[in-house]
């Protein structure tokens, strides 16, 4: 399972990197979203999968899944949400102002 | 042509009510079961979003007359004040306390300072989600 | 904390109070409130003077700051520190008093800035001279540079002020940085930052055996030379004259520029006796002395003359400390140290009064240009009297204190030149010659200053204001200083035992058979020194009379120091060069920046794998894969791979949504119910957000990249994927082979007893790591406010962010 997950993470990273390198602002935003997915999955996988019960003490199991990465990932998901929302609105506003979402045309001039 | 949204409106009313109550359950369940401020807040936000989508924004604005940016501030303030509370007892910032009480009807319940802290988070999450979406939706330029 | 610690901190506290005083008592000049502080400090410090049976017992008083690194706020008050501290507070009092009348309390005059900077400087300077710890000295040292730059740029609307401030900042801070490196080398050698411990350590070892001693010495001297405006770093001082005149009198003649000299004096017990120390300080000092005095003759601005004169006098004191370091071999040289200390005091008195006088002339006539001035003798009689005292002292004429120290300077030079150590016999004959020539030029610029300002024809048409005598307030401070010039000139032995001797002991702690009788006389009989002085006066007058002819030569037409061209060119070149480098890498294309980051990560991670042989594979210890998981994972991979090929915006949103929901599903399988819930809800909200935004955004286009670009993108993406996969494999294998125990056991055990919760994830979020969560929602709030600002903020036509 871990091996399969790591391979999935690899695919996610490849695709998101490719999206980041494209010229369309929207694809860049999507790429960042995918990259955060990849990071969450990798983090969870490396902590060990399917080891013990969900981290709820009410389960009264002998061992629990590692709660620490889960807490960190939860924080990361929510922050990722905030960042993605901001980026989306940023690209929306950029498009409204400049009538383009092509990053080549959006480059600043040298004297700025 | 006027589309009749009667079905949609009726179902939305019921469904959003169910989601809202479930979100409040999730919020309170957070300490011992899956749930908590983030999840409860996001779920409340989705319920309200459902209302905004099926009815129009102006109507809902009348029904829910809150300024979400104020709610963000209130939420943050609640969380910080809860954290500051522990300073009074000489403990580090954000130390949480809990105590068990026995109440006649409900039996033993647990009161913890983590709850108001979580409430702050809940408020911020709801307000942030709705504020971002509504701001874009209302932009008419 | 002793009183002396508070003495250093007091000006800083005052600096904090000044803005409130300024706001609260706007109609009273802020200077009056500030004035009390240096006066009190000065009187307090006077009580340490070893007079009337009082003895000065220097000891190190430590307040721990960073004790683990040996950095402590340690105060050490010996004769040398006391001398400097008295100068700082004494001249400080007079300067504050002078500034009250010099800078009028106008409505838009930022007096609060002025006094905050001035107090900051005073505290920092006291810190430099009273600290025993090198790191603390360094901190205060840089603070003085900062305060100096701020004060030079006090009238920051003037282009020249900003130029001067930047120049002084760049040069002195560069030197300070070198000095820091030197201090660190000393720490490596001795294992201590305490000067007294370093002196004790160096007393026991053979200096020549340590390799790092010479580099440390050179670096520290670089700091001292830049601060004390020694050739070729002196170019910042003339430009620093853009500062208000009280500042020039205080920082740029009496105190701050002497910090370098203080440092040299302080380190004389450490490095003294080394031939390198002797030769470097002596030669740079003499070079500065002669360069400064010759340059001063060319100036037409009174403050310019004084600036170069200060440079030359600093060179003189520096050279004397260099010459005096020979006392560690032969104590005949200690007269040079006595002369240095004596001249230090004298210079502060006469140069301080002269700066103030120039300030008065500037204030009352509106110009400092000697071509416009003239005939002020009868108009400003008091100013004239003060100047003649100051100028005569500077020129080295009896009976003023300048004459005494100039005589001692000649004695010191002659004595040391006759020594038979350090190969002095080869080049030593140059010392008296250089000293004499420099004195001639000193005499000439003194004559210029005096005759061009006060005699000759009064030219009211060239002046901006009608000249008249200054108000009494402006005159008090220079009068006090001029009286000191006369008093020290007539009764030099007032200083001998109270100040000079303790300072001498601090500079030369273990010279054998130290001469305990320091008596300074006017009349030594008809010796070489006297003839040298007479020669200076005669030859100097001759030069001054023939000055007209000299002034036509090209040398005299260039007022600015030729070294400035080097500085300006260097600075421009640096800026242009940096811009070129920046323009090469900063293309403004997001893609390029991503490529830099990715390639760097690839190289870094790949190199680490290779270097530490970290690649590991371990396919055992894995959990089994159930059939439905195969389906989820394969669908996930397929959707992911399809995204770059989708040209339709709604389809791509839905595809990304599918990925999000599949990951939520995986979270369920992986025993993370909280994550699954959060992911599901975030994904729902996100889809709404995406749809809203995409509704307004244009349709995705087919990427039109050149094949080469497309290929690079592909290589980088696959490389990133591969390296992350390898990283995952290795981490997974290492986890089992190295047998880590997870730190989360703590949370499993304690979430019930300590936090009273059963859901460990939530307990971590709200209790154990509550601060993280608080800051996280803060981030969310900031993001939301950013969104609102982005949408609601409407630029007017032609307006830009």
């Amino acid at each position: 399972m871990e091996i399969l997950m790591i391979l999935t993470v690899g695919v996610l990273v490849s695709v998101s990197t490719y999206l980041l390198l494209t010229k369309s602002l929207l694809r860049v935003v999507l790429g960042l979203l995918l990259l955060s997915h990849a990071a969450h999955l990798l983090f969870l996988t490396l902590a060990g999968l399917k080891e013990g019960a969900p981290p709820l003490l009410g389960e009264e199991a002998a061992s629990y899944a590692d709660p620490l990465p889960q807490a960190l990932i939860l924080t990361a998901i929510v922050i990722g949400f905030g960042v993605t929302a901001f980026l989306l609105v940023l690209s929306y506003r950029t498009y409204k102002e400049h009538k383009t979402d092509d990053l080549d045309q959006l480059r600043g001039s040298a004297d700025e | 042509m006027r589309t009749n949204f009667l079905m949609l409106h009726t179902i939305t009313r019921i469904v959003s009510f169910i989601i809202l109550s479930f979100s409040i359950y999730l919020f309170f369940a957070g300490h011992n079961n899956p749930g908590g401020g983030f999840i409860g807040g996001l779920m409340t936000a989705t319920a309200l979003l459902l209302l905004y989508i099926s009815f129009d924004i102006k109507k809902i604005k009348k029904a829910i007359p809150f300024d979400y940016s104020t709610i963000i501030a209130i939420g943050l303030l609640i969380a910080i004040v809860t954290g500051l509370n522990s300073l009074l007892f000489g403990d580090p910032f954000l130390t949480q306390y809990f105590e068990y009480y026995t109440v006649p009807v409900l039996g033993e319940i647990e009161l913890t300072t983590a709850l108001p802290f979580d409430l702050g988070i809940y408020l911020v999450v709801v307000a942030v989600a709705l504020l971002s979406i509504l701001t874009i939706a209302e932009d008419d330029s | 904390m002793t009183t002396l610690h508070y003495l250093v901190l007091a000006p800083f506290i005052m600096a904090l109070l000044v803005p409130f005083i300024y706001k609260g008592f706007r109609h009273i000049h802020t200077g009056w409130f500030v004035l009390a502080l240096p006066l009190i400090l000065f009187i307090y410090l006077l009580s340490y003077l070893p007079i009337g049976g009082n003895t000065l017992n220097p000891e190190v008083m430590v307040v721990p700051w960073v004790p683990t690194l040996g950095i402590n706020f340690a105060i050490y008050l010996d004769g040398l520190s006391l001398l400097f501290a008295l100068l700082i507070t004494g001249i400080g009092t007079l300067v504050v008093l002078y500034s009250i009348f010099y800078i009028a309390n106008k409505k838009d005059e930022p007096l609060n800035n002025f006094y905050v900077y001035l107090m900051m400087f005073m505290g920092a300077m006291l810190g430099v001279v009273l600290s025993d710890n090198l790191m603390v000295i360094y901190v205060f040292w840089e603070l003085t540079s900062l305060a100096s730059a701020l004060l030079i740029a006090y009238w920051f609307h003037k282009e020249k002020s900003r130029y001067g401030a930047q120049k002084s900042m760049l040069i002195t801070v560069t030197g300070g940085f070198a000095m820091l490196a030197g201090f660190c080398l000393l720490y490596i050698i001795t294992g201590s930052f305490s000067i007294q411990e370093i002196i004790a350590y160096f007393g026991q070892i053979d200096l020549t055996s340590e390799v790092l001693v010479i580099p440390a010495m050179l670096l520290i001297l670089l700091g001292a030379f830049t601060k004390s405006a020694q050739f070729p770093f002196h170019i910042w001082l003339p430009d620093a004259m853009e500062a208000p005149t009280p500042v020039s009198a205080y920082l740029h003649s009496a105190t701050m520029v002497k910090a370098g000299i203080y440092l040299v004096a302080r380190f004389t017990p450490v490095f003294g006796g080394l031939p390198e120390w002797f030769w470097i300080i002596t030669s740079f000092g003499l070079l500065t002395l002669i360069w400064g005095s010759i340059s001063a003759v060319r100036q037409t601005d009174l403050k310019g003359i004084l600036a170069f004169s200060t440079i030359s006098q600093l060179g003189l004191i520096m050279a004397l400390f260099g010459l005096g370091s020979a006392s560690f071999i032969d104590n005949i040289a200690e007269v040079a140290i006595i002369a240095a200390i004596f001249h230090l005091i004298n210079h502060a008195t006469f140069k301080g009064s002269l700066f103030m006088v120039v300030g008065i002339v500037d204030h009352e006539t509106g110009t400092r240009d000697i071509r416009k001035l003239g005939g002020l003798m009868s108009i400003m009689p008091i100013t004239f009297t003060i100047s003649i005292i100051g100028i005569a002292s500077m020129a080295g004429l009896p009976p003023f204190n300048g004459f005494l120290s100039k005589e001692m300077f000649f004695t010191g030079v002659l004595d040391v030149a006759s020594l038979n150590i350090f190969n002095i016999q080869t080049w030593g004959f140059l010392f008296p010659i250089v000293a004499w020539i420099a004195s001639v030029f000193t005499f000439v610029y003194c004559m210029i200053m005096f005759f061009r300002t006060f005699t000759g024809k009064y030219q009211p048409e060239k002046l901006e204001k009608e000249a008249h005598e200054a108000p009494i307030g402006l005159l008090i401070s220079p009068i006090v200083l001029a009286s000191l010039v006369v008093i020290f000139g007539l009764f030099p032995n007032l200083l001998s035992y109270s100040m000079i001797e303790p300072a001498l002991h601090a500079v030369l702690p273990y010279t054998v058979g130290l001469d305990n009788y320091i008596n300074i006389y006017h009349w030594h009989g008809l010796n070489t020194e006297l003839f040298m002085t007479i020669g200076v006066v005669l030859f100097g007058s001759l030069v001054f009379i023939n000055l007209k002819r000299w002034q036509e030569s090209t040398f005299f037409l260039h007022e600015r120091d030729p070294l400035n061209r080097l500085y300006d060119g260097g600075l421009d070149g640096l800026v242009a060069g940096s811009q070129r480098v920046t323009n090469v890498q900063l293309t403004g294309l997001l893609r390029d920046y991503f490529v830099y980051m990715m390639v760097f990560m690839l190289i870094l991670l790949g190199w680490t794998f290779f270097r530490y042989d970290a690649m590991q594979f371990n396919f055992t210890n894995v959990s089994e894969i159930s059939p439905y998981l195969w389906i989820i994972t394969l669908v996930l991979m397929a959707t992911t791979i399809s995204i770059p090929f989708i040209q339709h915006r709604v389809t791509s949103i839905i595809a990304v949504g599918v990925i999000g929901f599949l990951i939520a599903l995986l979270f369920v399988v992986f025993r993370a119910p909280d994550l699954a819930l959060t992911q599901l809800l975030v994904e729902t909200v996100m889809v709404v957000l995406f749809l809203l935004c995409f509704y307004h955004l244009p349709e995705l286009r087919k990427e039109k990249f050149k094949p080469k670009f497309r290929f690079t993108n592909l290589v980088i993406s696959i490389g990133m994927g591969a390296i992350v996969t390898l990283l995952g494999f290795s981490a997974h294998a290492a986890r089992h082979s190295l047998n880590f125990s997870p730190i989360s056991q703590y949370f499993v055990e304690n979430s019930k007893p300590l936090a009273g919760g059963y859901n460990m994830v939530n307990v971590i979020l709200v209790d154990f790591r509550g601060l993280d969560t608080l800051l996280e929602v803060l981030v969310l709030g900031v993001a939301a406010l950013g969104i609102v600002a982005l949408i609601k903020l409407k630029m007017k036509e032609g307006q830009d962010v």
Side-chain angles (χ1 to χ4, degrees):
Chain A
M1 190 70 237
E2 281 87 346
I3 305 302
L4 188 62
M5 276 302 112
I6 290 169
L7 284 174
T8 317
V9 168
V11 172
L12 275 169
V13 170
S14 281
V15 170
S16 62
T17 312
Y18 187 82
L19 290 175
L20 283 180
L21 295 178
T22 54
K23 282 194 284 193
S24 153
L25 202 49
L26 296 176
R27 286 205 170 94
V28 173
V29 178
L30 289 181
L32 277 173
L33 193 61
L34 287 188
L35 198 59
S36 63
H37 282 326
H40 301 160
L41 263 191
L42 183 65
F43 203 13
L44 196 66
T45 306
L46 291 182
L49 296 173
K50 292 191 175 181
E51 288 175 1
L56 302 169
L57 288 170
E59 302 273 311
E60 294 182 354
S63 72
Y64 298 98
D66 200 334
L68 195 58
Q70 296 195 12
L72 293 176
I73 295 169
L74 205 150
T75 314
I77 292 175
V78 179
I79 291 211
F81 164 67
V83 171
T84 315
F86 182 76
L87 278 178
L88 266 178
V89 176
L90 188 65
S91 46
Y92 161 74
R93 184 67 204 259
T94 312
Y95 177 70
K96 285 255 149 169
E97 288 288 315
H98 299 282
K99 302 290 170 222
T100 177
D101 71 331
D102 188 332
L103 284 169
D104 277 3
Q105 292 171 25
L106 284 172
R107 66 185 287 192
S109 49
D111 55 280
E112 266 178 335
Chain B
M1 195 192 93
R2 251 184 81 88
T3 330
N4 195 341
F5 285 128
L6 185 66
M7 279 293 277
L8 178 67
H9 285 180
T10 320
I11 294 176
T12 309
R13 277 190 194 121
I14 300 167
V15 169
S16 61
F17 177 73
I18 296 173
I19 302 179
L20 269 178
S21 13
F22 186 55
S23 74
I24 290 165
Y25 164 74
L26 275 180
F27 168 68
F28 282 109
H31 217 48
N32 297 324
N33 288 302
F38 284 119
I39 296 171
L42 283 167
M43 192 158 265
T44 311
T46 46
L48 294 177
L49 269 182
L50 196 61
L51 289 176
Y52 280 109
I53 292 172
S54 48
F55 299 92
D56 71 47
I57 291 184
K58 275 182 199 144
K59 249 184 218 162
I60 303 295
K61 277 227 154 155
K62 242 178 250 166
I64 315 174
F66 297 127
D67 177 9
Y68 291 114
S69 39
T70 325
I71 295 185
I72 295 182
I74 294 173
L76 278 175
L77 212 63
I78 293 177
I80 290 170
V81 168
T82 323
L84 288 176
N85 168 49
S86 58
L87 292 181
L88 291 179
F89 303 101
D91 286 319
F93 182 58
L94 276 173
T95 311
Q96 312 284 18
Y97 306 96
F98 63 95
E99 199 62 63
Y100 296 94
Y101 298 98
T102 316
V103 182
V105 184
L106 297 168
E108 191 187 60
I109 59 160
E110 180 192 3
L111 285 183
T112 147
T113 56
L115 198 67
F117 181 73
D118 230 9
L119 179 68
I121 292 165
Y122 171 88
L123 288 177
V124 176
V125 171
V126 173
V128 166
L130 289 174
L131 184 63
S132 354
I133 290 176
L134 291 183
T135 326
I136 307 172
E138 281 178 301
D139 186 29
D140 47 5
S141 63
Chain C
M1 294 283 271
T2 61
T3 325
L4 284 171
H5 287 95
Y6 286 114
L7 185 127
V8 173
L9 295 179
F12 290 108
I13 298 167
M14 192 70 199
L16 289 178
L17 295 179
V18 163
F20 299 106
I21 297 173
Y22 177 75
K23 280 268 179 304
F25 305 91
R26 192 63 194 81
H27 53 287
I28 307 173
H29 199 288
T30 318
W32 289 113
F33 297 98
V34 175
L35 182 62
L37 182 77
L39 189 63
I40 294 168
L41 296 185
F42 179 72
I43 293 169
Y44 175 73
L45 280 168
L46 277 180
S47 70
Y48 278 89
L49 275 185
I51 36 176
N54 216 344
T55 48
L56 187 65
N57 293 318
E59 54 173 330
V60 183
M61 288 163 287
V62 179
V63 171
W65 185 18
V66 194
T68 44
L69 296 177
I71 300 172
N72 297 308
F73 186 19
I75 295 283
Y76 183 78
L77 184 80
D78 62 1
L80 190 65
S81 315
L82 183 62
L83 169 65
F84 272 90
L86 282 171
L87 276 183
I88 295 160
T89 50
I91 308 266
T93 312
L94 296 176
V95 162
V96 171
L97 179 65
Y98 179 79
S99 71
I100 294 173
F101 295 92
Y102 189 80
I103 305 177
N105 189 14
K106 276 179 283 189
K107 205 163 176 223
D108 51 350
E109 192 71 55
L111 280 175
N112 50 345
N113 291 0
F114 182 79
Y115 287 108
V116 166
Y117 302 156
L118 203 69
M119 284 297 109
M120 191 170 112
F121 167 76
M122 190 182 284
M125 195 67 207
L126 282 172
V128 168
V129 300
L130 289 176
S131 297
D132 177 56
N133 195 287
L134 291 177
M135 281 298 132
V136 178
I137 289 186
Y138 171 73
V139 171
F140 283 126
W141 181 279
E142 297 292 38
L143 262 180
T144 61
S145 297
L146 184 69
S148 155
L150 286 170
L151 282 168
I152 295 169
Y154 173 64
W155 286 312
F156 53 81
H157 47 84
K158 286 197 291 184
E159 163 92 48
K160 282 179 94 178
S161 297
R162 295 197 301 272
Y163 172 80
Q166 190 196 31
K167 196 177 192 179
S168 81
M169 187 81 177
L170 284 177
I171 293 179
T172 53
V173 170
T174 311
F177 214 58
M179 191 181 81
L180 176 67
F183 287 172
C184 293
L185 287 184
L186 273 186
Y187 183 75
I188 292 171
I189 301 169
T190 63
S192 170
F193 278 128
S194 161
I195 298 178
Q196 295 310 314
E197 283 172 25
I198 290 172
I199 291 173
Y201 181 87
F202 272 54
Q204 296 159 3
I205 59 158
D206 178 19
L207 284 185
T208 45
S209 68
E210 289 279 353
V211 195
L212 288 176
V213 167
I214 299 297
M217 184 189 92
L218 290 177
L219 287 167
I220 292 173
L221 281 182
L222 198 59
F225 284 176
T226 48
K227 198 78 162 181
S228 280
Q230 298 297 297
F231 184 89
F233 307 111
H234 64 276
I235 48 170
W236 68 266
L237 194 57
D239 286 305
M241 290 300 135
E242 289 302 321
T245 302
V247 172
S248 309
Y250 190 33
L251 272 71
H252 304 127
S253 88
T255 55
M256 190 188 84
V257 286
K258 297 214 171 94
I261 288 171
Y262 169 79
L263 199 73
V264 167
R266 195 36 100 205
F267 276 94
T268 301
V270 177
F271 297 112
L274 281 177
E276 291 87 350
W277 180 259
F278 174 87
W279 279 107
I280 291 173
I281 297 179
T282 308
S283 46
F284 273 93
L286 287 175
L287 192 58
T288 312
L289 167 65
I290 195 161
W291 184 273
S293 60
I294 292 175
S295 303
V297 178
R298 306 192 297 184
Q299 304 301 309
T300 53
D301 180 358
L302 280 177
K303 265 178 111 175
I305 298 178
L306 285 181
F308 277 103
S309 148
T310 306
I311 290 168
S312 121
Q313 304 276 335
L314 289 170
L316 187 152
I317 303 174
M318 197 61 101
L320 280 172
F321 272 111
L323 294 169
S325 74
S327 326
F328 284 87
I329 314 287
D330 190 332
N331 64 5
I332 195 166
E334 79 193 27
V335 67
I337 302 270
I338 299 173
I341 298 166
F342 189 38
H343 196 70
L344 198 82
I345 306 169
N346 297 343
H347 179 247
T349 53
F350 69 69
K351 192 56 69 66
S353 71
L354 283 178
F355 262 110
M356 288 176 183
V357 163
V358 168
I360 290 173
V361 170
D362 189 13
H363 204 259
E364 303 307 327
T365 65
T367 185
R368 303 190 304 246
D369 193 329
I370 50 171
R371 288 166 300 194
K372 295 181 186 165
L373 291 167
L376 294 179
M377 181 159 50
S378 52
I379 302 165
M380 304 168 82
I382 306 175
T383 313
F384 162 75
T385 317
I386 301 165
S387 327
I388 198 169
I389 295 171
I391 288 174
S393 178
M394 182 158 80
L397 295 179
F400 303 110
N401 57 4
F403 167 72
L404 297 169
S405 46
K406 185 64 78 65
E407 288 280 278
M408 285 173 80
F409 167 56
F410 286 145
T411 317
V413 169
L414 288 169
D415 283 356
V416 174
S418 66
L419 285 178
N420 200 15
I421 47 169
F422 300 154
N423 294 325
I424 291 175
Q425 60 276 31
T426 47
W427 291 102
F429 69 92
L430 278 177
F431 296 166
I433 298 175
V434 172
W436 189 77
I437 296 175
S439 299
V440 171
F441 278 101
T442 307
F443 190 79
V444 173
Y445 70 68
C446 289
M447 304 273 278
I448 294 177
M449 228 184 126
F450 178 71
F451 286 108
R452 293 288 155 82
T453 314
F454 292 104
T455 64
K457 220 172 80 203
Y458 177 52
Q459 305 155 295
E461 70 283 355
K462 286 188 183 172
L463 304 178
E464 285 170 24
K465 300 182 197 169
E466 183 144 356
H468 50 79
E469 186 55 277
I472 184 69
L474 268 179
L475 289 169
I476 298 172
S477 299
I479 286 175
V480 170
L481 286 173
S483 344
L484 285 178
V485 169
V486 179
I487 294 169
F488 292 158
L490 295 178
F491 312 103
N493 291 331
L494 275 179
L495 293 173
S496 312
Y497 297 104
S498 58
M499 284 198 194
I500 298 177
E501 200 200 341
L504 182 66
H505 276 295
V507 178
L508 303 173
Y510 11 68
T511 38
V512 275
L514 189 66
D515 196 343
N516 273 321
Y517 298 100
I518 305 165
N519 281 320
I520 303 165
Y521 302 108
H522 277 273
W523 180 249
H524 297 267
L526 287 172
N527 52 12
T528 328
E529 291 91 320
L530 190 65
F531 286 120
M532 279 170 89
T533 306
I534 295 169
V536 165
V537 173
L538 290 178
F539 202 76
S541 313
L542 210 65
V543 172
F544 179 70
I545 292 162
N546 294 308
L547 204 60
K548 275 248 149 37
R549 229 170 291 159
W550 286 55
Q551 273 169 335
E552 281 153 16
S553 65
T554 40
F555 173 74
F556 274 92
L557 292 177
H558 296 311
E559 202 181 326
R560 274 179 75 70
D561 203 298
L563 282 167
N564 277 313
R565 225 173 294 159
L566 206 67
Y567 168 83
D568 292 337
L571 195 64
D572 290 347
L574 190 69
V575 171
S578 321
Q579 255 163 4
R580 223 169 296 138
V581 172
T582 310
N583 285 341
V584 167
Q585 44 170 343
L586 296 183
T587 53
L589 286 177
L590 191 61
R591 180 183 172 274
D592 288 352
Y593 302 153
F594 274 128
V595 168
Y596 298 150
M597 285 187 245
M598 306 284 180
V599 169
F600 178 75
M601 270 172 74
L602 277 178
I603 292 171
L604 189 71
L605 287 173
W607 185 79
T608 314
F609 269 133
F610 175 74
R611 168 78 178 68
Y612 296 98
D613 199 18
M615 206 88 78
Q616 288 186 41
F617 296 100
N618 181 353
F619 296 128
T620 57
N621 287 321
V622 291
S623 42
E624 85 290 356
I625 311 169
S626 39
Y628 63 89
L629 263 179
W630 274 108
I631 299 171
I632 296 178
T633 318
L634 289 180
V635 172
L636 181 59
M637 281 197 193
T639 325
T640 313
I641 292 170
S642 73
I643 286 177
F645 303 100
I646 298 173
Q647 304 295 338
H648 194 269
R649 56 187 179 186
V650 179
T651 323
S652 60
I653 301 165
I654 292 172
V656 171
V658 166
I659 293 174
F661 286 117
L662 285 175
I663 283 173
L665 211 56
L666 283 175
F667 285 150
V668 175
V669 179
F670 297 150
R671 312 275 197 275
D674 285 283
L675 289 187
L677 271 173
T678 317
Q679 180 72 39
L680 276 173
L681 291 165
V682 162
E683 214 50 54
T684 314
V685 178
M686 201 90 96
V687 167
V688 176
L689 201 63
F690 263 92
L691 284 173
L692 261 176
C693 280
F694 278 34
Y695 175 72
H696 296 278
L697 284 170
E699 191 59 65
L700 290 172
R701 290 174 318 278
K702 209 172 155 61
E703 291 286 325
K704 272 174 271 171
F705 272 130
K706 289 180 202 139
K708 203 180 100 192
F709 264 24
R710 188 185 290 279
F711 180 69
T712 348
N713 287 1
L714 208 62
V715 169
I716 292 174
S717 330
I718 292 176
M720 279 302 287
I723 206 104
V724 171
T725 314
L726 287 177
L727 193 74
F729 282 148
S730 304
H732 176 66
R735 179 164 171 261
H736 289 286
S737 63
L738 299 177
N739 212 3
F740 290 123
S741 61
I743 54 171
S744 51
Q745 196 54 37
Y746 171 83
F747 300 110
V748 176
E749 282 160 13
N750 288 318
S751 71
K752 180 78 186 77
L754 286 186
Y758 290 92
N759 181 355
M760 288 181 255
V761 176
N762 199 52
V763 164
I764 291 174
L765 284 178
V766 298
D767 197 326
F768 292 121
R769 310 291 313 153
L771 191 62
D772 294 359
T773 311
L774 183 63
L775 296 178
E776 178 199 351
V777 290
L778 188 67
V779 170
L780 276 188
V782 171
L785 291 182
I787 291 170
V788 174
L790 272 177
I791 299 285
K792 296 268 164 81
L793 186 73
K794 291 282 185 287
M795 294 294 165
K796 288 196 197 90
E797 206 52 49
Q799 221 175 345
D800 203 346
V801 187

